[in-house]
Amino acid sequence: NAELWRQPCPPNSPSTAMSIPFSLSEAGFEGSRSLVSGLHNVALQTDNGGRAPTSSSDDSDGADVVEQRPQFSPSAMAYPSPPHMHGPIVAVSCYTCFADLAHGPRGVEAQRSFWTFRLNLNDGTLTLLSAVPKGFAHNPAFTRCHPSLNVVYSCTESVRHEGQVLALQLDSRSGELTELCPPVSAGGWSTCYLTIHKSARRLLLVNYWDSTICTLELLPSGKLGRRLCVYDPKGGRTMKASADRHVNHSMNDERAQAERQSDPHSHAIVLEPSAGTIAYVPDLGMDVIRQFHFDEETGVVTPCGVIRSGVKRAGRGLGPRYLIFAKALPTCYVVNELSSQVGVFTYDAGVAASIESAWAGAGSVEAKQAAVCAAAEPTLTLVQTVATIPDAFPVEMNTRGRVAIHRPVVLCACCTHPPPHNHRCGRITIHPSGDFVVTSNRGHDSVCVHRVHRDSTPPGLLSLAGIFHTRGETPRHFQFDPSGQWLLVANQDSNTCAVFAFNTATGCVTYTGNTYKVPSPNFVSVRA
């Protein structure tokens, strides 16, 4: 830096202010960091020879000359920090071993299983911050952020190895992910979904392959505690399908559907948002939503009902995958993967309260479970079914759809129209505003946006806002930033993550031109 200060000024020029670029991390500026944090340029006064100002003793011979340190102008404090130093952190998980999966990705196996980016809220660009070391995790497939700590939970997906739950510390400045505590067994195979109870004391999960449901303890530090409960919907029966010999669960033809639906396959576990005492598990294999009472203290789930996830047509399966509750409405939305439909359900809080009262009023655990079974009634009622793809989308384009977009068929719960063509849905979520339901189509390579009608009868019915291409193949997962203006899509089979602008008034999705290479991305999480 001293050499920069001594660059000569033009001859015979008056004393000049030079703009000097520098880094606050360089030696010599550490002591001034607190005073000049965020500066990019400083104006330094020089004399005619380009030298920094000096002070000398009063002796006429000028024996000792001491060079002064630069003085920083307070006005420079107005310069902003670099864009990659602020904004939400985006964590992307990737498949690392295709041979261990029930389905068959067509992308590139990742050597590094997690990547983190910083999202620029001004233009939707991403800056790569970090990637975990090679071999860090095996097929992480779902992540969930702790509600108050910088901790990210993930689970491993494998039909050959028992699933594990990981607790990772997230450095909010650098984006680095490190292991917070040793992994904990998920109690089953091909772990695919995590839910954190509103108290942040319990973590619930499901294992897709053997359909088991598990509850783990969460400690105040965010670390994983002991396993509290495991429930098996099969009742201990042996599965018909084998981990060593099975159909590709990415396919959706009749043979694949028949095998996938020969066994139960739990695909998610979601708690009703008010008290968190009723848990719902979409069973893709059995075409039902399993209803449970959840006791936070013990972690025990008690079955208390089964609900059909939609209307079956022409013998085709429904394949419920995920469900989500509307914001401030007694409404629930279920995405049926195999039929490419969203089922709209009303939620009965009164029935849920009766089930909770039955549990609370009994004595022993056995008595509580018996009381819950006696009080069991469905809390969800189907009121509408909407399609997520164009009605004319052909079966043979199931995995590479590149077609014109048409308005999809909308079916009432009681109608008899045929279902849409063969296809597979992915994720479903609610926009942060609560005004839109968004679903991904993994064969049509699109996201479908439906508008939520709060004033409909019953409230929360859907109408189509649009279907939009994701600029990649197999959009397995997507996520909104907290503001809802940016939509980030993980296109699994094209090894890319794409960023879209979301119009919060119309539901229109517009490509920003920002696409990033990420090997076999399967999940996107955003931490503000």
Side-chain angles (χ1 to χ4, degrees), residues 1-276:
N1 288 327
E3 292 302 319
L4 286 174
W5 299 340
R6 294 190 177 93
Q7 291 181 16
C9 292
N12 303 322
S13 65
S15 180
T16 309
M18 294 178 60
S19 182
I20 307 298
F22 69 94
S23 169
L24 290 175
S25 64
E26 295 175 5
F29 289 93
E30 292 295 334
S32 303
R33 180 185 298 273
S34 61
L35 295 177
V36 296
S37 175
L39 295 181
H40 291 256
N41 296 282
V42 168
L44 174 66
Q45 297 294 325
T46 67
D47 60 19
N48 289 343
R51 295 183 296 273
T54 61
S55 63
S56 62
S57 64
D58 292 337
D59 295 339
S60 58
D61 58 4
D64 296 324
V65 178
V66 179
E67 186 174 31
Q68 290 184 341
R69 297 175 68 91
Q71 299 296 313
F72 305 129
S73 170
S75 64
M77 297 284 287
Y79 286 93
S81 59
H84 73 277
M85 297 301 293
H86 56 87
I89 289 181
V90 178
V92 181
S93 60
C94 310
Y95 284 127
T96 60
C97 180
F98 296 169
D100 284 354
L101 300 173
H103 55 99
R106 294 178 288 114
V108 176
E109 289 182 339
Q111 294 185 331
R112 302 175 187 271
S113 53
F114 288 97
W115 303 66
T116 63
F117 300 82
R118 184 82 70 179
L119 173 64
N120 187 330
L121 293 176
N122 293 323
D123 58 11
T125 56
L126 296 176
T127 300
L128 179 62
L129 296 181
S130 73
V132 298
K134 295 179 181 179
F136 182 82
H138 183 79
N139 281 346
F142 190 99
T143 57
R144 180 76 71 185
C145 294
H146 191 283
S148 59
L149 303 175
N150 281 331
V151 177
V152 176
Y153 302 96
S154 187
C155 55
T156 62
E157 182 180 343
S158 172
V159 297
R160 302 176 187 273
H161 308 285
E162 189 174 51
Q164 292 186 320
V165 180
L166 316 174
L168 308 176
Q169 186 77 53
L170 174 64
D171 187 317
S172 60
R173 180 180 175 277
S174 68
E176 182 182 18
L177 286 170
T178 54
E179 190 177 84
L180 177 64
C181 64
V184 172
S185 168
W189 280 259
S190 200
T191 315
C192 65
Y193 201 96
L194 307 175
T195 287
I196 298 175
H197 186 267
K198 59 192 305 181
S199 69
R201 297 176 59 237
R202 303 288 182 257
L203 184 148
L204 297 89
L205 63 89
V206 295
N207 297 295
Y208 170 79
W209 187 249
D210 62 352
S211 74
T212 50
I213 303 164
C214 180
T215 305
L216 300 180
E217 179 185 27
L218 281 187
L219 304 179
S221 63
K223 293 182 179 181
L224 298 166
R226 57 201 171 95
R227 193 167 66 197
L228 301 175
C229 166
V230 176
Y231 175 81
D232 183 1
K234 303 187 306 300
R237 295 188 301 273
T238 302
M239 290 182 59
K240 297 178 181 178
S242 166
D244 297 322
R245 186 179 180 84
H246 59 83
V247 298
N248 181 352
H249 286 216
S250 293
M251 304 303 293
N252 196 18
D253 55 23
E254 291 185 6
R255 175 172 172 267
Q257 278 203 16
E259 182 173 310
R260 292 186 74 183
Q261 298 202 294
S262 64
D263 293 302
H265 288 297
S266 302
H267 216 304
I269 182 163
V270 177
L271 297 169
E272 57 84 17
S274 56

Side-chain angles (χ1 to χ4, degrees), residues 337-353:
E337 173 181 332
L338 303 183
S339 64
S340 296
Q341 296 173 333
V342 173
V344 182
F345 292 78
T346 57
Y347 167 68
D348 191 328
V351 174

Side-chain angles (χ1 to χ4, degrees), residues 237-413:
R237 295 188 301 273
T238 302
M239 290 182 59
K240 297 178 181 178
S242 166
D244 297 322
R245 186 179 180 84
H246 59 83
V247 298
N248 181 352
H249 286 216
S250 293
M251 304 303 293
N252 196 18
D253 55 23
E254 291 185 6
R255 175 172 172 267
Q257 278 203 16
E259 182 173 310
R260 292 186 74 183
Q261 298 202 294
S262 64
D263 293 302
H265 288 297
S266 302
H267 216 304
I269 182 163
V270 177
L271 297 169
E272 57 84 17
S274 56
T277 56
I278 304 296
Y280 301 92
V281 176
D283 186 333
L284 186 144
M286 299 292 102
D287 285 341
V288 298
I289 303 163
R290 298 184 184 274
Q291 180 177 283
F292 296 87
H293 175 269
F294 174 66
D295 179 56
E296 180 198 353
E297 190 59 35
T298 62
V300 170
V301 293
T302 302
C304 58
V306 174
I307 304 160
R308 180 69 67 179
S309 68
V311 180
K312 297 184 72 170
R313 298 286 185 262
R316 297 198 59 82
L318 297 168
R321 181 180 177 89
Y322 294 142
L323 66 85
I324 191 165
F325 280 85
K327 294 180 181 294
L329 292 176
T331 311
C332 174
Y333 304 100
V334 178
V335 60
N336 287 300
E337 173 181 332
L338 303 183
S339 64
S340 296
Q341 296 173 333
V342 173
V344 182
F345 292 78
T346 57
Y347 167 68
D348 191 328
V351 174
S354 297
I355 294 173
E356 170 59 18
S357 295
W359 175 274
S364 65
V365 173
E366 292 77 11
K368 288 177 179 292
Q369 292 178 328
V372 164
C373 291
E377 289 185 39
T379 57
L380 302 179
T381 303
L382 181 67
V383 294
Q384 184 191 24
T385 301
V386 296
T388 67
I389 56 171
D391 184 42
F393 184 69
V395 174
E396 63 270 21
M397 298 184 70
N398 181 45
T399 58
R400 57 186 182 277
R402 295 289 185 273
V403 298
I405 292 175
H406 307 282
R407 185 181 180 87
V409 168
V410 178
L411 304 176
C412 294

